[in-house]
């Protein structure tokens, strides 16, 4: 059975879903960094990110912080709601790392006076430049009211995720979220968390050793990415020992469709 591919991204593919207003999000093994300057295929990475993201988005959904995640389909795929994605990446920072250190001359690991939320314009050709809420509202990418919702959802998600990771010995140093508008016929549009939350989109440092357990291992050529992602999955209690097997069985919804 062929499925209609609606988007082929750097690390994920989106297919038309089996129900109206749904999509199938497929996690590839491709890893990219620095706007695709670095690219590699790391066997098992897609399966781990799918699994970890599925778990974290389910936790948020269960706590009333709504996300696009509907249900798991198979090792590499999940069923999600089709949203109108805002062209904005929202980064929440709890400790100084990455581009914040470069920009402000801070030491990695320095504590911050409080959690900081930043916005970036989603544009590969421009290299995702940092923007302010002024740009977002002036160019009509989101309204003032929606930005209040983005701030509130991002900070609530940060509280939940920071606690969840700390309980398994990991500092959530920073992470990136995407948001999308759900156009519900019966209600006014509302914002949901979209995309993925995984060691690709978070910085996770082991509390005891300060070892990095995230995509910085790839960005900085440190090696050991799969072992670190497996360890994150294990600590969260979602590791399945079939990682790297690839997709052998048809997706559940394909089975259903085939009748
Ligand atoms: P940064 O320090 O490079 O700005 O990254 C902040 C956080 O956002 C970090 O957890 C990694 C994540 N991130 C993405 O998920 N995608 C991206 O394209 C970038 C630049 C960062
Ligand atoms: N996600 C970006 C890329 O794929 C950059 C990054 O995560 O470092 O190029």
């Amino acid at each position: 059975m062929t499925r209609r591919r609606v988007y082929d991204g750097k690390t994920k593919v989106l297919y038309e879903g089996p129900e109206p207003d749904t999509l199938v999000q497929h996690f590839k093994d491709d890893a990219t960094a620095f706007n695709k300057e670095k690219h590699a295929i790391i066997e098992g990475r897609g399966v781990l990110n799918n699994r970890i993201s599925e778990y974290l988005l389910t936790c948020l959904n269960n706590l009333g912080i709504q996300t696009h995640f509907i249900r798991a389909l198979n090792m590499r795929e999940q069923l999600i709601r089709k949203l109108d994605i805002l062209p904005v990446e929202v980064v929440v920072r709890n400790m100084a790392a990455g581009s914040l250190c470069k920009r402000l001359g801070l030491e990695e690991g320095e504590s911050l006076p409080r959690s900081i939320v930043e916005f970036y314009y989603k544009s590969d050709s421009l290299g995702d430049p940092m923007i302010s809420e002024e740009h977002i509202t002036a160019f009509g990418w989101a309204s003032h009211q929606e930005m209040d919702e983005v701030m509130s959802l991002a900070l609530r998600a940060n509280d939940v995720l920071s606690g969840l990771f700390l309980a398994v010995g990991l500092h959530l140093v920073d992470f990136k979220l995407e948001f999308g508008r759900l156009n519900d016929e019966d209600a006014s549009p509302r914002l949901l968390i979209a995309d993925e939350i995984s060691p690709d989109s978070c910085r996770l440092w082991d509390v005891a050793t300060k070892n990095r357990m995230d995509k910085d291992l790839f960005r900085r050529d440190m090696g050991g990415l799969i072992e670190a992602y497996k360890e994150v999955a294990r600590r969260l209690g979602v590791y399945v020992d079939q990682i790297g097997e690839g997709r052998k069985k048809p997706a559940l919804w394909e089975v259903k469709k085939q009748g």
Side-chain angles (χ1 to χ4, degrees):
M1 196 188 97
T2 52
R3 301 185 285 182
R4 200 168 77 84
R5 187 187 300 217
V6 293
Y7 175 78
D8 197 349
K10 288 183 284 199
T11 59
K12 292 186 290 277
V13 185
L14 295 176
Y15 297 97
E16 213 165 55
E19 297 149 27
D21 298 321
T22 64
L23 294 170
V24 172
Q25 180 166 246
H26 175 106
F27 287 72
K28 303 196 256 190
D29 280 341
D30 299 63
T32 71
F34 313 117
N35 208 4
K36 243 189 154 178
E37 244 175 64
K38 265 175 91 80
H39 175 256
I41 294 178
I42 306 178
E43 205 182 319
R45 191 189 136 282
V47 172
L48 284 157
N49 279 345
N50 179 42
R51 192 90 183 109
I52 294 169
S53 192
E54 162 197 317
Y55 173 72
L56 297 173
L57 295 182
T58 301
C59 291
L60 294 177
N61 279 343
N62 289 344
L63 290 166
I65 303 168
Q66 290 196 325
T67 80
H68 70 165
F69 178 79
I70 302 174
R71 65 174 179 271
L73 294 175
N74 59 49
M75 297 290 278
R76 281 183 190 275
E77 297 180 337
Q78 45 187 258
L79 186 68
I80 59 168
R81 281 177 207 282
K82 191 176 186 173
L83 304 177
D84 177 13
I85 301 290
L86 306 187
V88 176
E89 296 196 342
V90 178
V91 170
V92 184
R93 300 183 185 272
N94 297 310
M95 288 159 84
S99 68
L100 180 70
C101 293
K102 283 206 192 107
R103 197 175 310 113
L104 301 183
L106 304 175
E107 285 288 323
E108 287 227 299
E110 249 182 72
S111 59
L112 299 174
R114 59 175 164 82
S115 300
I116 293 174
V117 183
E118 299 173 342
F119 307 111
Y120 295 84
Y121 179 47
K122 261 167 74 85
S123 164
D124 279 348
S125 58
L126 298 174
D128 297 349
M130 194 178 185
I131 50 173
S132 74
E133 189 170 333
E134 270 293 283
H135 300 104
I136 299 172
T137 53
F139 288 109
W141 297 325
S143 67
H144 286 287
Q145 197 190 335
E146 283 177 325
M147 288 313 290
D148 288 346
E149 218 177 319
V150 163
M151 282 298 285
S152 153
L153 287 167
L155 291 172
R156 282 172 65 205
N158 184 40
D159 279 348
V160 172
L161 297 172
S162 294
L164 218 139
F165 281 119
L166 198 56
V168 297
L170 294 170
H171 281 303
L172 178 59
V173 172
D174 54 35
F175 65 104
K176 185 261 303 179
L177 290 176
E178 296 194 21
F179 289 86
R181 234 173 250 124
L182 179 70
N183 288 305
D184 193 338
E185 272 176 22
D186 307 325
S188 50
R190 60 199 157 94
L191 292 181
L192 270 59
I193 291 175
D195 197 51
E196 70 178 278
I197 306 180
S198 71
D200 264 22
S201 62
C202 299
R203 280 198 177 90
L204 299 167
W205 294 359
D206 183 77
V207 171
T209 62
K210 301 281 179 288
N211 285 345
R212 289 160 201 276
M213 302 187 63
D214 55 56
K215 197 171 129 182
D216 272 350
L217 294 169
F218 172 71
R219 292 190 190 97
R220 300 177 188 197
D221 290 320
M222 294 163 79
L225 181 128
I226 284 295
E227 276 318 310
Y229 282 30
K230 277 185 187 170
E231 176 61 16
V232 171
R234 247 184 238 120
R235 289 195 196 183
L236 293 172
V238 299
Y239 181 66
V240 184
D241 198 14
Q242 285 172 31
I243 297 201
E245 257 210 335
R247 183 167 165 247
K248 296 206 172 116
K249 290 184 198 149
L252 290 179
W253 68 273
E254 285 180 333
V255 175
K256 203 170 112 196
K257 282 226 154 175
Q258 284 159 8

